Structures are given as C-alpha cells and as structure tokens.
Amino acid sequence: MSPADARASVLASEIERDWSSVLSQLARAKSVDPEQGAPQAALVAFSLHHAYQAFESLLLRLERGLGLPERSGDNWHNALLQDAKMPIEGVRPAVFPSAVAASWQELLRFRHFLRHAYSVDFDVERLRRNVERLEEVTSGTEPQVQDLVAAIRT
C-alpha cells in the first residue's frame, strides 16, 4: 500500500467514524422524551449539538484530507456547510443533497444557540423539530456519505 493509499484509507475510516457519531447522537436524542423534564430535554439538546459537531468535524476532516485551504473568518461555519452541498469537480462529490441543506443550516443555528444559551429552558417543540430535522438530514445524507467514502477508497 502506498503512502497516499494509506492516507486515503485513514481519511475514509475517520469519515465513517464521524458519520457513525452523527447517527449515535441521533439515536440518543430519540431515546428520551424531552417533555419528561429538564434532564431529558438537556440530553436531547446536547445530542443534537454533538450530532452537528460530528458532522462539522467530518466536513473539516474531509477538506483537510483533500488539501483544501483551512477555513477562517467570521462566517466559516456557514461557508463550510454551503460548500459541502456542491460537488468540487475532480476533487469530491457533494457531501449532501441540496434538498436537506436548509435543515443542516437549522441544526447549525441550534448548535450556535446552545453554545450561547447559558440560562434558558429548552423549548420542547423546538427540540422535537430538530430531532425530526436530524432524522431527515441523516436519511438524505447517508447515501452520499457512503458514496464519498467509497470514492476516497478507490
């Protein structure tokens, strides 16, 4: 195995691990009813946060692995997400379909909210909508992540 093949294999494995974390956090978010109390609502909220964080880690890891420039500036989180829905000719396919882009954007907004919400009660309906969004985006993104991993390995 060449060094380039070894790096590609490691990148593919890391992307699979990040994606598995997204799915594990979705399962955790669905495992409790946020209406049952503050601890359950917090578990759902932090599971949503961690799921998005794992997805963003996947995107950053992919960009680094492909030798793309490091992100910077005030809006890099949004730019990373917007760029991931578009294929880069000769470099990589789209990471997720445009049809789920708005839902990924809402999950990014929720993560930002959670990081800065120091003393708020969680809105149960908002948590439920975001769990539904996470289900939607993982379902829509799964085939493309699998295709991406396969392409990296070839």
Side-chain angles (χ1 to χ4, degrees):
M1 178 181 284
S2 73
D5 290 341
R7 282 191 299 275
S9 180
V10 168
L11 176 60
S13 294
E14 289 174 336
I15 288 171
E16 287 177 321
R17 184 186 66 223
D18 290 336
W19 186 247
S20 179
S21 292
V22 173
L23 299 176
S24 294
Q25 293 299 328
L26 170 59
R28 184 171 289 148
K30 291 171 55 178
S31 72
V32 297
D33 180 358
E35 200 165 355
Q36 296 301 311
Q40 292 83 356
L43 176 63
V44 172
F46 281 100
S47 296
L48 291 164
H49 172 281
H50 296 338
Y52 187 83
Q53 185 63 44
F55 185 63
E56 187 172 87
S57 293
L58 180 156
L59 299 177
L60 288 169
R61 189 180 315 282
L62 176 62
E63 286 196 345
R64 272 189 240 112
L66 296 174
L68 298 174
E70 189 169 327
R71 298 286 174 158
S72 62
D74 292 341
N75 201 31
W76 74 265
H77 297 278
N78 286 313
L80 175 69
L81 190 58
Q82 293 307 308
D83 291 350
K85 73 179 177 186
M86 299 180 294
I88 302 173
E89 185 73 31
V91 178
R92 64 148 177 81
V95 181
F96 60 88
S98 294
V100 298
S103 290
W104 275 121
Q105 188 68 42
E106 285 299 318
L107 292 167
L108 169 60
R109 283 189 194 104
F110 181 78
R111 185 194 62 178
H112 179 79
F113 160 78
L114 187 61
R115 287 186 174 183
H116 300 283
Y118 300 110
S119 62
V120 292
D121 292 329
F122 293 113
D123 178 341
V124 171
E125 285 311 309
R126 184 176 185 192
L127 291 173
R128 285 192 174 125
R129 281 192 310 274
N130 281 324
V131 170
E132 290 169 4
R133 279 188 185 103
L134 186 55
E135 284 185 292
E136 171 198 349
V137 297
T138 55
S139 177
T141 304
E142 174 84 26
Q144 288 185 243
V145 169
Q146 297 310 318
D147 290 348
L148 177 65
V149 168
I152 290 169
R153 288 206 160 115
T154 58

PDB file of all heavy atoms in Angstrom, residues 64-97:
ATOM      1  N   ARG A  64      -9.457  18.956   4.956  1.00  0.00           N
ATOM      2  CA  ARG A  64      -8.019  18.815   5.257  1.00  0.00           C
ATOM      3  C   ARG A  64      -7.411  17.655   4.487  1.00  0.00           C
ATOM      4  O   ARG A  64      -6.323  17.766   3.940  1.00  0.00           O
ATOM      5  CB  ARG A  64      -7.807  18.619   6.760  1.00  0.00           C
ATOM      6  CG  ARG A  64      -7.666  19.912   7.510  1.00  0.00           C
ATOM      7  CD  ARG A  64      -7.229  19.678   8.957  1.00  0.00           C
ATOM      8  NE  ARG A  64      -8.270  20.236   9.803  1.00  0.00           N
ATOM      9  CZ  ARG A  64      -9.087  19.557  10.574  1.00  0.00           C
ATOM     10  NH1 ARG A  64      -9.003  18.257  10.677  1.00  0.00           N
ATOM     11  NH2 ARG A  64      -9.996  20.168  11.292  1.00  0.00           N
ATOM     12  N   GLY A  65      -8.133  16.534   4.467  1.00  0.00           N
ATOM     13  CA  GLY A  65      -7.638  15.355   3.777  1.00  0.00           C
ATOM     14  C   GLY A  65      -7.480  15.556   2.284  1.00  0.00           C
ATOM     15  O   GLY A  65      -6.631  14.921   1.644  1.00  0.00           O
ATOM     16  N   LEU A  66      -8.288  16.439   1.720  1.00  0.00           N
ATOM     17  CA  LEU A  66      -8.202  16.731   0.290  1.00  0.00           C
ATOM     18  C   LEU A  66      -7.247  17.878  -0.013  1.00  0.00           C
ATOM     19  O   LEU A  66      -7.078  18.261  -1.170  1.00  0.00           O
ATOM     20  CB  LEU A  66      -9.598  17.049  -0.261  1.00  0.00           C
ATOM     21  CG  LEU A  66     -10.605  15.905  -0.203  1.00  0.00           C
ATOM     22  CD1 LEU A  66     -11.987  16.386  -0.642  1.00  0.00           C
ATOM     23  CD2 LEU A  66     -10.135  14.731  -1.052  1.00  0.00           C
ATOM     24  N   GLY A  67      -6.644  18.434   1.038  1.00  0.00           N
ATOM     25  CA  GLY A  67      -5.678  19.514   0.838  1.00  0.00           C
ATOM     26  C   GLY A  67      -6.301  20.860   0.522  1.00  0.00           C
ATOM     27  O   GLY A  67      -5.633  21.735  -0.029  1.00  0.00           O
ATOM     28  N   LEU A  68      -7.568  21.040   0.877  1.00  0.00           N
ATOM     29  CA  LEU A  68      -8.233  22.317   0.638  1.00  0.00           C
ATOM     30  C   LEU A  68      -7.789  23.330   1.691  1.00  0.00           C
ATOM     31  O   LEU A  68      -7.369  22.959   2.794  1.00  0.00           O
ATOM     32  CB  LEU A  68      -9.752  22.137   0.660  1.00  0.00           C
ATOM     33  CG  LEU A  68     -10.297  21.195  -0.420  1.00  0.00           C
ATOM     34  CD1 LEU A  68     -11.795  20.965  -0.224  1.00  0.00           C
ATOM     35  CD2 LEU A  68     -10.017  21.743  -1.804  1.00  0.00           C
ATOM     36  N   PRO A  69      -7.872  24.624   1.383  1.00  0.00           N
ATOM     37  CA  PRO A  69      -7.424  25.642   2.346  1.00  0.00           C
ATOM     38  C   PRO A  69      -8.223  25.605   3.643  1.00  0.00           C
ATOM     39  O   PRO A  69      -9.423  25.312   3.629  1.00  0.00           O
ATOM     40  CB  PRO A  69      -7.644  26.965   1.630  1.00  0.00           C
ATOM     41  CG  PRO A  69      -8.055  26.649   0.245  1.00  0.00           C
ATOM     42  CD  PRO A  69      -8.379  25.197   0.155  1.00  0.00           C
ATOM     43  N   GLU A  70      -7.543  25.910   4.735  1.00  0.00           N
ATOM     44  CA  GLU A  70      -8.213  25.948   6.040  1.00  0.00           C
ATOM     45  C   GLU A  70      -9.205  27.101   6.083  1.00  0.00           C
ATOM     46  O   GLU A  70      -8.954  28.173   5.550  1.00  0.00           O
ATOM     47  CB  GLU A  70      -7.177  26.120   7.152  1.00  0.00           C
ATOM     48  CG  GLU A  70      -7.769  25.962   8.521  1.00  0.00           C
ATOM     49  CD  GLU A  70      -6.698  25.871   9.606  1.00  0.00           C
ATOM     50  OE1 GLU A  70      -5.615  25.336   9.336  1.00  0.00           O
ATOM     51  OE2 GLU A  70      -6.984  26.349  10.713  1.00  0.00           O
ATOM     52  N   ARG A  71     -10.322  26.868   6.732  1.00  0.00           N
ATOM     53  CA  ARG A  71     -11.379  27.877   6.860  1.00  0.00           C
ATOM     54  C   ARG A  71     -10.976  28.939   7.872  1.00  0.00           C
ATOM     55  O   ARG A  71     -10.338  28.643   8.881  1.00  0.00           O
ATOM     56  CB  ARG A  71     -12.681  27.230   7.322  1.00  0.00           C
ATOM     57  CG  ARG A  71     -13.237  26.201   6.379  1.00  0.00           C
ATOM     58  CD  ARG A  71     -13.842  26.873   5.188  1.00  0.00           C
ATOM     59  NE  ARG A  71     -14.266  25.908   4.188  1.00  0.00           N
ATOM     60  CZ  ARG A  71     -15.166  26.178   3.282  1.00  0.00           C
ATOM     61  NH1 ARG A  71     -15.747  27.361   3.247  1.00  0.00           N
ATOM     62  NH2 ARG A  71     -15.480  25.278   2.381  1.00  0.00           N
ATOM     63  N   SER A  72     -11.408  30.167   7.608  1.00  0.00           N
ATOM     64  CA  SER A  72     -11.184  31.254   8.557  1.00  0.00           C
ATOM     65  C   SER A  72     -12.258  32.312   8.334  1.00  0.00           C
ATOM     66  O   SER A  72     -13.055  32.212   7.406  1.00  0.00           O
ATOM     67  CB  SER A  72      -9.785  31.858   8.372  1.00  0.00           C
ATOM     68  OG  SER A  72      -9.665  32.419   7.087  1.00  0.00           O
ATOM     69  N   GLY A  73     -12.263  33.292   9.196  1.00  0.00           N
ATOM     70  CA  GLY A  73     -13.239  34.372   9.084  1.00  0.00           C
ATOM     71  C   GLY A  73     -14.453  34.131   9.952  1.00  0.00           C
ATOM     72  O   GLY A  73     -14.650  33.050  10.498  1.00  0.00           O
ATOM     73  N   ASP A  74     -15.265  35.149  10.059  1.00  0.00           N
ATOM     74  CA  ASP A  74     -16.432  35.104  10.931  1.00  0.00           C
ATOM     75  C   ASP A  74     -17.506  34.129  10.474  1.00  0.00           C
ATOM     76  O   ASP A  74     -18.271  33.624  11.281  1.00  0.00           O
ATOM     77  CB  ASP A  74     -17.070  36.493  11.048  1.00  0.00           C
ATOM     78  CG  ASP A  74     -16.191  37.479  11.787  1.00  0.00           C
ATOM     79  OD1 ASP A  74     -15.277  37.023  12.514  1.00  0.00           O
ATOM     80  OD2 ASP A  74     -16.408  38.693  11.634  1.00  0.00           O
ATOM     81  N   ASN A  75     -17.582  33.866   9.194  1.00  0.00           N
ATOM     82  CA  ASN A  75     -18.686  33.084   8.646  1.00  0.00           C
ATOM     83  C   ASN A  75     -18.248  31.705   8.160  1.00  0.00           C
ATOM     84  O   ASN A  75     -18.933  31.083   7.364  1.00  0.00           O
ATOM     85  CB  ASN A  75     -19.315  33.881   7.496  1.00  0.00           C
ATOM     86  CG  ASN A  75     -20.712  33.438   7.184  1.00  0.00           C
ATOM     87  OD1 ASN A  75     -21.448  32.990   8.064  1.00  0.00           O
ATOM     88  ND2 ASN A  75     -21.091  33.552   5.932  1.00  0.00           N
ATOM     89  N   TRP A  76     -17.129  31.197   8.664  1.00  0.00           N
ATOM     90  CA  TRP A  76     -16.592  29.968   8.093  1.00  0.00           C
ATOM     91  C   TRP A  76     -17.498  28.761   8.331  1.00  0.00           C
ATOM     92  O   TRP A  76     -17.555  27.861   7.501  1.00  0.00           O
ATOM     93  CB  TRP A  76     -15.169  29.704   8.571  1.00  0.00           C
ATOM     94  CG  TRP A  76     -15.014  29.229   9.980  1.00  0.00           C
ATOM     95  CD1 TRP A  76     -14.764  29.989  11.076  1.00  0.00           C
ATOM     96  CD2 TRP A  76     -15.074  27.874  10.433  1.00  0.00           C
ATOM     97  NE1 TRP A  76     -14.678  29.194  12.192  1.00  0.00           N
ATOM     98  CE2 TRP A  76     -14.853  27.890  11.827  1.00  0.00           C
ATOM     99  CE3 TRP A  76     -15.291  26.650   9.813  1.00  0.00           C
ATOM    100  CZ2 TRP A  76     -14.853  26.731  12.596  1.00  0.00           C
ATOM    101  CZ3 TRP A  76     -15.285  25.499  10.585  1.00  0.00           C
ATOM    102  CH2 TRP A  76     -15.063  25.555  11.958  1.00  0.00           C
ATOM    103  N   HIS A  77     -18.230  28.727   9.438  1.00  0.00           N
ATOM    104  CA  HIS A  77     -19.127  27.588   9.693  1.00  0.00           C
ATOM    105  C   HIS A  77     -20.202  27.503   8.604  1.00  0.00           C
ATOM    106  O   HIS A  77     -20.482  26.419   8.085  1.00  0.00           O
ATOM    107  CB  HIS A  77     -19.806  27.705  11.065  1.00  0.00           C
ATOM    108  CG  HIS A  77     -18.867  27.683  12.216  1.00  0.00           C
ATOM    109  ND1 HIS A  77     -18.373  26.522  12.747  1.00  0.00           N
ATOM    110  CD2 HIS A  77     -18.324  28.691  12.941  1.00  0.00           C
ATOM    111  CE1 HIS A  77     -17.562  26.811  13.755  1.00  0.00           C
ATOM    112  NE2 HIS A  77     -17.523  28.111  13.889  1.00  0.00           N
ATOM    113  N   ASN A  78     -20.807  28.639   8.290  1.00  0.00           N
ATOM    114  CA  ASN A  78     -21.826  28.673   7.240  1.00  0.00           C
ATOM    115  C   ASN A  78     -21.229  28.351   5.878  1.00  0.00           C
ATOM    116  O   ASN A  78     -21.833  27.610   5.094  1.00  0.00           O
ATOM    117  CB  ASN A  78     -22.505  30.044   7.188  1.00  0.00           C
ATOM    118  CG  ASN A  78     -23.451  30.258   8.338  1.00  0.00           C
ATOM    119  OD1 ASN A  78     -24.256  29.397   8.654  1.00  0.00           O
ATOM    120  ND2 ASN A  78     -23.357  31.413   8.974  1.00  0.00           N
ATOM    121  N   ALA A  79     -20.078  28.920   5.584  1.00  0.00           N
ATOM    122  CA  ALA A  79     -19.436  28.678   4.288  1.00  0.00           C
ATOM    123  C   ALA A  79     -19.084  27.203   4.122  1.00  0.00           C
ATOM    124  O   ALA A  79     -19.272  26.630   3.036  1.00  0.00           O
ATOM    125  CB  ALA A  79     -18.197  29.553   4.146  1.00  0.00           C
ATOM    126  N   LEU A  80     -18.582  26.584   5.176  1.00  0.00           N
ATOM    127  CA  LEU A  80     -18.251  25.158   5.136  1.00  0.00           C
ATOM    128  C   LEU A  80     -19.491  24.336   4.768  1.00  0.00           C
ATOM    129  O   LEU A  80     -19.435  23.472   3.894  1.00  0.00           O
ATOM    130  CB  LEU A  80     -17.703  24.711   6.498  1.00  0.00           C
ATOM    131  CG  LEU A  80     -17.409  23.229   6.670  1.00  0.00           C
ATOM    132  CD1 LEU A  80     -16.224  22.817   5.808  1.00  0.00           C
ATOM    133  CD2 LEU A  80     -17.131  22.925   8.144  1.00  0.00           C
ATOM    134  N   LEU A  81     -20.586  24.634   5.415  1.00  0.00           N
ATOM    135  CA  LEU A  81     -21.828  23.905   5.171  1.00  0.00           C
ATOM    136  C   LEU A  81     -22.337  24.159   3.750  1.00  0.00           C
ATOM    137  O   LEU A  81     -22.720  23.220   3.039  1.00  0.00           O
ATOM    138  CB  LEU A  81     -22.876  24.309   6.201  1.00  0.00           C
ATOM    139  CG  LEU A  81     -24.140  23.485   6.255  1.00  0.00           C
ATOM    140  CD1 LEU A  81     -23.848  22.014   6.519  1.00  0.00           C
ATOM    141  CD2 LEU A  81     -25.070  24.034   7.324  1.00  0.00           C
ATOM    142  N   GLN A  82     -22.346  25.408   3.329  1.00  0.00           N
ATOM    143  CA  GLN A  82     -22.829  25.736   1.983  1.00  0.00           C
ATOM    144  C   GLN A  82     -21.959  25.091   0.900  1.00  0.00           C
ATOM    145  O   GLN A  82     -22.470  24.587  -0.096  1.00  0.00           O
ATOM    146  CB  GLN A  82     -22.878  27.253   1.783  1.00  0.00           C
ATOM    147  CG  GLN A  82     -23.915  27.946   2.634  1.00  0.00           C
ATOM    148  CD  GLN A  82     -25.299  27.351   2.475  1.00  0.00           C
ATOM    149  OE1 GLN A  82     -25.798  27.199   1.362  1.00  0.00           O
ATOM    150  NE2 GLN A  82     -25.921  26.982   3.582  1.00  0.00           N
ATOM    151  N   ASP A  83     -20.668  25.094   1.094  1.00  0.00           N
ATOM    152  CA  ASP A  83     -19.762  24.498   0.105  1.00  0.00           C
ATOM    153  C   ASP A  83     -19.918  22.980   0.024  1.00  0.00           C
ATOM    154  O   ASP A  83     -19.736  22.392  -1.034  1.00  0.00           O
ATOM    155  CB  ASP A  83     -18.307  24.846   0.418  1.00  0.00           C
ATOM    156  CG  ASP A  83     -18.002  26.320   0.197  1.00  0.00           C
ATOM    157  OD1 ASP A  83     -18.851  27.037  -0.381  1.00  0.00           O
ATOM    158  OD2 ASP A  83     -16.909  26.760   0.608  1.00  0.00           O
ATOM    159  N   ALA A  84     -20.260  22.350   1.143  1.00  0.00           N
ATOM    160  CA  ALA A  84     -20.352  20.886   1.178  1.00  0.00           C
ATOM    161  C   ALA A  84     -21.497  20.357   0.322  1.00  0.00           C
ATOM    162  O   ALA A  84     -21.457  19.204  -0.107  1.00  0.00           O
ATOM    163  CB  ALA A  84     -20.502  20.397   2.619  1.00  0.00           C
ATOM    164  N   LYS A  85     -22.494  21.181   0.057  1.00  0.00           N
ATOM    165  CA  LYS A  85     -23.622  20.704  -0.757  1.00  0.00           C
ATOM    166  C   LYS A  85     -23.312  20.747  -2.252  1.00  0.00           C
ATOM    167  O   LYS A  85     -24.086  20.242  -3.055  1.00  0.00           O
ATOM    168  CB  LYS A  85     -24.898  21.478  -0.441  1.00  0.00           C
ATOM    169  CG  LYS A  85     -24.927  22.889  -0.957  1.00  0.00           C
ATOM    170  CD  LYS A  85     -26.236  23.570  -0.615  1.00  0.00           C
ATOM    171  CE  LYS A  85     -26.195  25.016  -1.077  1.00  0.00           C
ATOM    172  NZ  LYS A  85     -27.359  25.752  -0.664  1.00  0.00           N
ATOM    173  N   MET A  86     -22.181  21.328  -2.596  1.00  0.00           N
ATOM    174  CA  MET A  86     -21.799  21.431  -4.008  1.00  0.00           C
ATOM    175  C   MET A  86     -20.622  20.508  -4.303  1.00  0.00           C
ATOM    176  O   MET A  86     -19.677  20.438  -3.515  1.00  0.00           O
ATOM    177  CB  MET A  86     -21.414  22.869  -4.336  1.00  0.00           C
ATOM    178  CG  MET A  86     -22.541  23.856  -4.133  1.00  0.00           C
ATOM    179  SD  MET A  86     -22.093  25.549  -4.523  1.00  0.00           S
ATOM    180  CE  MET A  86     -20.882  25.906  -3.260  1.00  0.00           C
ATOM    181  N   PRO A  87     -20.674  19.815  -5.436  1.00  0.00           N
ATOM    182  CA  PRO A  87     -19.505  18.994  -5.794  1.00  0.00           C
ATOM    183  C   PRO A  87     -18.338  19.896  -6.199  1.00  0.00           C
ATOM    184  O   PRO A  87     -18.544  21.025  -6.651  1.00  0.00           O
ATOM    185  CB  PRO A  87     -20.010  18.182  -6.994  1.00  0.00           C
ATOM    186  CG  PRO A  87     -21.115  18.991  -7.579  1.00  0.00           C
ATOM    187  CD  PRO A  87     -21.739  19.746  -6.426  1.00  0.00           C
ATOM    188  N   ILE A  88     -17.147  19.404  -5.999  1.00  0.00           N
ATOM    189  CA  ILE A  88     -15.948  20.090  -6.480  1.00  0.00           C
ATOM    190  C   ILE A  88     -15.381  19.209  -7.588  1.00  0.00           C
ATOM    191  O   ILE A  88     -14.871  18.114  -7.310  1.00  0.00           O
ATOM    192  CB  ILE A  88     -14.917  20.317  -5.363  1.00  0.00           C
ATOM    193  CG1 ILE A  88     -15.520  21.125  -4.218  1.00  0.00           C
ATOM    194  CG2 ILE A  88     -13.674  21.009  -5.926  1.00  0.00           C
ATOM    195  CD1 ILE A  88     -14.616  21.254  -3.005  1.00  0.00           C
ATOM    196  N   GLU A  89     -15.531  19.668  -8.812  1.00  0.00           N
ATOM    197  CA  GLU A  89     -15.132  18.899  -9.994  1.00  0.00           C
ATOM    198  C   GLU A  89     -13.719  18.345  -9.850  1.00  0.00           C
ATOM    199  O   GLU A  89     -12.782  19.069  -9.552  1.00  0.00           O
ATOM    200  CB  GLU A  89     -15.214  19.791 -11.241  1.00  0.00           C
ATOM    201  CG  GLU A  89     -14.942  19.078 -12.530  1.00  0.00           C
ATOM    202  CD  GLU A  89     -16.075  18.153 -12.947  1.00  0.00           C
ATOM    203  OE1 GLU A  89     -17.241  18.460 -12.634  1.00  0.00           O
ATOM    204  OE2 GLU A  89     -15.788  17.128 -13.574  1.00  0.00           O
ATOM    205  N   GLY A  90     -13.613  17.043  -9.996  1.00  0.00           N
ATOM    206  CA  GLY A  90     -12.318  16.386  -9.937  1.00  0.00           C
ATOM    207  C   GLY A  90     -11.749  16.205  -8.535  1.00  0.00           C
ATOM    208  O   GLY A  90     -10.660  15.676  -8.370  1.00  0.00           O
ATOM    209  N   VAL A  91     -12.496  16.674  -7.518  1.00  0.00           N
ATOM    210  CA  VAL A  91     -11.995  16.589  -6.140  1.00  0.00           C
ATOM    211  C   VAL A  91     -12.907  15.724  -5.277  1.00  0.00           C
ATOM    212  O   VAL A  91     -12.456  14.774  -4.649  1.00  0.00           O
ATOM    213  CB  VAL A  91     -11.823  17.991  -5.508  1.00  0.00           C
ATOM    214  CG1 VAL A  91     -11.361  17.903  -4.061  1.00  0.00           C
ATOM    215  CG2 VAL A  91     -10.874  18.844  -6.335  1.00  0.00           C
ATOM    216  N   ARG A  92     -14.207  16.085  -5.227  1.00  0.00           N
ATOM    217  CA  ARG A  92     -15.146  15.312  -4.420  1.00  0.00           C
ATOM    218  C   ARG A  92     -16.561  15.591  -4.891  1.00  0.00           C
ATOM    219  O   ARG A  92     -16.851  16.653  -5.433  1.00  0.00           O
ATOM    220  CB  ARG A  92     -15.018  15.642  -2.937  1.00  0.00           C
ATOM    221  CG  ARG A  92     -15.380  17.075  -2.602  1.00  0.00           C
ATOM    222  CD  ARG A  92     -15.992  17.197  -1.224  1.00  0.00           C
ATOM    223  NE  ARG A  92     -16.278  18.566  -0.876  1.00  0.00           N
ATOM    224  CZ  ARG A  92     -17.355  19.236  -1.271  1.00  0.00           C
ATOM    225  NH1 ARG A  92     -18.259  18.693  -2.035  1.00  0.00           N
ATOM    226  NH2 ARG A  92     -17.537  20.495  -0.899  1.00  0.00           N
ATOM    227  N   PRO A  93     -17.442  14.623  -4.662  1.00  0.00           N
ATOM    228  CA  PRO A  93     -18.867  14.879  -4.954  1.00  0.00           C
ATOM    229  C   PRO A  93     -19.468  15.743  -3.846  1.00  0.00           C
ATOM    230  O   PRO A  93     -18.823  16.007  -2.826  1.00  0.00           O
ATOM    231  CB  PRO A  93     -19.471  13.469  -4.917  1.00  0.00           C
ATOM    232  CG  PRO A  93     -18.591  12.712  -3.975  1.00  0.00           C
ATOM    233  CD  PRO A  93     -17.202  13.280  -4.163  1.00  0.00           C
ATOM    234  N   ALA A  94     -20.697  16.169  -4.041  1.00  0.00           N
ATOM    235  CA  ALA A  94     -21.415  16.870  -2.968  1.00  0.00           C
ATOM    236  C   ALA A  94     -21.509  15.926  -1.771  1.00  0.00           C
ATOM    237  O   ALA A  94     -21.696  14.722  -1.933  1.00  0.00           O
ATOM    238  CB  ALA A  94     -22.807  17.265  -3.437  1.00  0.00           C
ATOM    239  N   VAL A  95     -21.363  16.475  -0.583  1.00  0.00           N
ATOM    240  CA  VAL A  95     -21.402  15.660   0.628  1.00  0.00           C
ATOM    241  C   VAL A  95     -22.841  15.372   1.039  1.00  0.00           C
ATOM    242  O   VAL A  95     -23.121  14.343   1.642  1.00  0.00           O
ATOM    243  CB  VAL A  95     -20.623  16.335   1.775  1.00  0.00           C
ATOM    244  CG1 VAL A  95     -20.644  15.494   3.037  1.00  0.00           C
ATOM    245  CG2 VAL A  95     -19.178  16.624   1.357  1.00  0.00           C
ATOM    246  N   PHE A  96     -23.756  16.271   0.710  1.00  0.00           N
ATOM    247  CA  PHE A  96     -25.171  16.049   0.993  1.00  0.00           C
ATOM    248  C   PHE A  96     -25.994  16.727  -0.087  1.00  0.00           C
ATOM    249  O   PHE A  96     -25.522  17.655  -0.743  1.00  0.00           O
ATOM    250  CB  PHE A  96     -25.568  16.529   2.398  1.00  0.00           C
ATOM    251  CG  PHE A  96     -25.335  17.996   2.645  1.00  0.00           C
ATOM    252  CD1 PHE A  96     -26.299  18.933   2.324  1.00  0.00           C
ATOM    253  CD2 PHE A  96     -24.153  18.433   3.220  1.00  0.00           C
ATOM    254  CE1 PHE A  96     -26.089  20.282   2.569  1.00  0.00           C
ATOM    255  CE2 PHE A  96     -23.931  19.781   3.467  1.00  0.00           C
ATOM    256  CZ  PHE A  96     -24.902  20.711   3.133  1.00  0.00           C
ATOM    257  N   PRO A  97     -27.235  16.265  -0.286  1.00  0.00           N
ATOM    258  CA  PRO A  97     -28.069  16.855  -1.331  1.00  0.00           C
ATOM    259  C   PRO A  97     -28.598  18.232  -0.929  1.00  0.00           C
ATOM    260  O   PRO A  97     -28.835  18.498   0.254  1.00  0.00           O
ATOM    261  CB  PRO A  97     -29.212  15.851  -1.496  1.00  0.00           C
ATOM    262  CG  PRO A  97     -29.268  15.121  -0.201  1.00  0.00           C
ATOM    263  CD  PRO A  97     -27.873  15.128   0.358  1.00  0.00           C
TER     264      PRO A  97
END
